[in-house]
Amino acid sequence: MQSYTTHILAQLKNGHLSIEEAEEQLKGFTDYGFAKVDDEREFRQGFPEVIFGAGKTTEQILHIFKHLVYKGNTVLATRVDPKSAGEVCRQVDGAVYDSSGRTLLYKPEDYELKTEKKIGVICAGTSDIPVAREAEVTIEAMGHHYASFYDIGVAGIHRLFAQIDEIKKCDVLIVVAGMEGALPSVVGGLVSTPVIAVPTSIGYGAHLNGITSLLSMLNTCASGVTVVNIDNGFGAGYSASLMLRV
């Protein structure tokens, strides 16, 4: 992968940047006061900075989003409320809002899938779909295929077995579950692919807003299961996409 410095110097050589502009961009970030957008992120990690929308104003999200679009990036924003999403979609052609996963995605003209490999996204119950959708949009943003397997939790395990042949065709699996969080262990004992477990905050009182599921998943006896934070569909989708680069 071309380094960020080489990229900037090539633009200077080709006359696309002045010496002053190149000097400014070599800092590796753009400072807007309320945010320092990491322009170098894609060159270090292979994917641009992702906008975490929670706690940001509509104006802040819009400003950062437009900056990343101007740079020619695939742009992903997570945890975006409908009001902010509506304004971004109004001002940025091509921005798409997924209301279930609360994500905004913009794909530039040169967007392409990086591989034919596929990530399976499994969720235990319909109530877990928003977290699954955050993972799926992240996977799409990073240039990979995904397949959805919804509402196949352990309370009706025959639903899982009915789709296990298709599940086994996936190269990485993300398993999203709330309540007691048992599904990743069951799936992990049936497949030979990496499993990323995502606990959700779905459940009754003793579920403790996802802590019960988190601890259950961390204590899995199935080999090859790793665990991300509660409701962190983005983290699971990002990690699964990185696994497909190997």
Side-chain angles (χ1 to χ4, degrees):
M1 180 184 294
Q2 185 185 50
S3 72
Y4 182 72
T5 300
T6 301
H7 171 71
I8 298 302
L9 293 178
Q11 288 188 305
L12 174 64
K13 181 179 179 180
N14 294 333
H16 296 148
L17 293 175
S18 67
I19 292 176
E20 293 76 18
E21 289 171 332
E23 183 179 26
E24 178 67 21
Q25 292 195 26
L26 282 170
K27 292 190 306 184
F29 64 90
T30 301
D31 192 349
Y32 288 113
F34 63 86
K36 294 176 176 61
V37 185
D38 188 354
D39 298 316
E40 194 183 355
R41 182 84 54 97
E42 183 174 16
F43 295 86
R44 293 197 319 272
Q45 297 187 305
F47 193 77
E49 181 172 2
V50 175
I51 303 166
F52 181 66
K56 291 183 175 66
T57 67
T58 298
E59 291 73 21
Q60 289 169 343
I61 294 172
L62 182 61
H63 207 100
I64 300 168
F65 203 96
K66 283 184 171 181
H67 173 90
L68 293 168
V69 169
Y70 175 75
K71 292 288 186 178
N73 295 313
T74 296
V75 187
L76 174 64
T78 65
R79 306 300 168 94
V80 182
D81 63 79
K83 176 179 176 292
S84 296
E87 188 61 24
V88 172
C89 290
R90 188 181 71 82
Q91 296 198 37
V92 179
D93 289 339
V96 177
Y97 184 56
D98 183 273
S99 59
S100 178
R102 293 183 294 161
T103 58
L104 272 169
L105 177 60
Y106 169 85
K107 295 187 287 190
E109 291 183 1
D110 62 353
Y111 169 89
E112 60 182 16
L113 292 169
K114 301 183 185 303
T115 176
E116 290 302 311
K117 293 180 179 180
K118 183 167 56 179
I119 299 167
V121 181
I122 302 169
C123 69
T126 303
S127 297
D128 300 309
I129 289 177
V131 178
R133 283 300 300 153
E134 185 178 78
E136 289 170 347
V137 175
T138 301
I139 292 164
E140 181 182 357
M142 297 187 72
H144 298 294
H145 295 283
Y146 65 84
S148 305
F149 305 94
Y150 291 168
D151 196 25
I152 55 174
V154 297
I157 204 164
H158 57 295
R159 300 172 297 176
L160 169 63
F161 294 149
Q163 298 190 69
I164 195 64
D165 289 341
E166 289 301 311
I167 288 171
K168 287 182 176 180
K169 293 178 183 178
C170 298
D171 299 279
V172 181
L173 293 170
I174 294 171
V175 184
V176 182
M179 299 294 185
E180 81 276 36
L183 186 59
S185 292
V186 174
V187 173
L190 296 171
V191 301
S192 60
T193 51
V195 174
I196 301 173
V198 188
T200 72
S201 54
I202 301 300
Y204 292 103
H207 178 257
L208 302 175
N209 293 318
I211 294 176
T212 298
S213 296
L214 173 64
L215 294 177
S216 177
M217 293 174 184
L218 287 171
N219 283 284
T220 180
C221 60
S223 302
V225 176
T226 58
V227 187
V228 297
N229 208 346
I230 299 166
D231 291 335
N232 191 9
F234 163 74
Y238 198 103
S239 295
S241 297
L242 291 180
M243 290 178 182
L244 292 191
R245 293 184 184 178
V246 179

